[in-house]
Amino acid sequence: MAQTRPRVSIITPTFNRADFIGTAVDSVLAQTFSDFELLIVDDGSTDDTVSVLEPYLADRRVRYFNQPNQGQSVARNRGLAEADGELVCFLDSDDAWLPDKLEQQVALMDRHPDVDIVHGDEIDIDEHGREVSRKNMPRFSGMIARELLADNSVSINTVMVRKRCFEEMGGFSESRRVADDYDIWLRFSARYRFLYVSAFFGFYRVMSNQISSDKRARFESNERIVLDFVRDFPAALSSRDRRWGLSRFYCRKARYYARAGDKLVAWSAIGRALRYRPADPVVWRSLFRVIRPGRT
């Protein structure tokens, strides 16, 4: 008899996270919803990752793949290629989930067939698993391209996505070494409906050696992503919403670089924001922050 396909596929890319991946896997195996497969894609780890994972492989739901180091987006795409589930989730190997994450989200997907991506909030923890913060940025529901153009408000560790979205629009961009998740949520926002739920679904571990901790590299990558999106999906937004989103993005960039002391980049960014929305009070408040970066 053919094996029944799991309802949910969970994709965990990993590279040298032996100290944390056990916690991530434990949080999956402790889920109150059990009809899943966990696909761990080892992107060429050189630490004890294999030894840590070996006991978990006795569970038939856990599948392990190893590949030469090619980057997180390539590892995520390998997981997508191997996934058998109708619904897809992602869990980074240094993070973890709350026990009812899958149960809640499967129920939401069943209740809202018009929704393609469910997402929510997360709890920040430190390297030792201690809670740091429960403060989350504003998140949104519906056709959220305008809001996503301003900032990436979708946390990859909290999402559940219908697999057909990847089949229809492709997987992660393997050319983006930083913020590959921002790229895919923006692309999906051109076609699919998001549902934000004000609930904590996972734990996000804040560490200094994360790719996402380099804010300058992230801003550079994010700027390429938003400009590529505007070019490639011209019908996704009205002219007004496009200008709104881009002005908000450049306001964020200007404020960050002003605080970092790079006034040349800050002034260039606020100038772009002014061109997009010259009468917007938010832009003028950001201009003040560029002039006086130490003031709130």
Side-chain angles (χ1 to χ4, degrees), residues 105-116:
Q105 292 190 327
V106 169
L108 287 164
M109 285 295 208
D110 289 343
R111 199 154 62 242
H112 301 279
D114 60 322
V115 166
D116 295 296

Side-chain angles (χ1 to χ4, degrees), residues 23-124:
T23 300
V25 175
D26 284 338
S27 76
V28 173
L29 299 182
Q31 289 293 301
T32 55
F33 181 90
S34 61
D35 186 11
F36 64 78
E37 62 176 354
L38 172 60
L39 311 174
I40 302 171
V41 183
D42 188 341
D43 193 40
S45 292
T46 57
D47 62 1
D48 294 329
T49 292
V50 176
S51 299
V52 171
L53 290 175
E54 188 173 1
Y56 296 105
L57 301 183
D59 190 317
R60 291 185 178 182
R61 297 172 299 177
V62 181
R63 300 165 62 193
Y64 173 79
F65 306 90
N66 188 281
Q67 64 182 30
N69 182 258
Q70 300 172 73
Q72 185 170 250
S73 56
V74 177
R76 285 174 174 156
N77 285 338
R78 173 70 185 278
L80 286 170
E82 300 286 349
D84 289 327
E86 166 201 348
L87 303 168
V88 176
C89 295
F90 300 91
L91 177 62
D92 288 348
S93 57
D94 47 8
D95 297 326
W97 283 343
L98 274 73
D100 60 349
K101 193 263 192 193
L102 293 181
E103 182 179 3
Q104 284 195 63
Q105 292 190 327
V106 169
L108 287 164
M109 285 295 208
D110 289 343
R111 199 154 62 242
H112 301 279
D114 60 322
V115 166
D116 295 296
I117 301 104
V118 170
H119 65 119
D121 294 326
E122 57 195 359
I123 301 167
D124 290 348

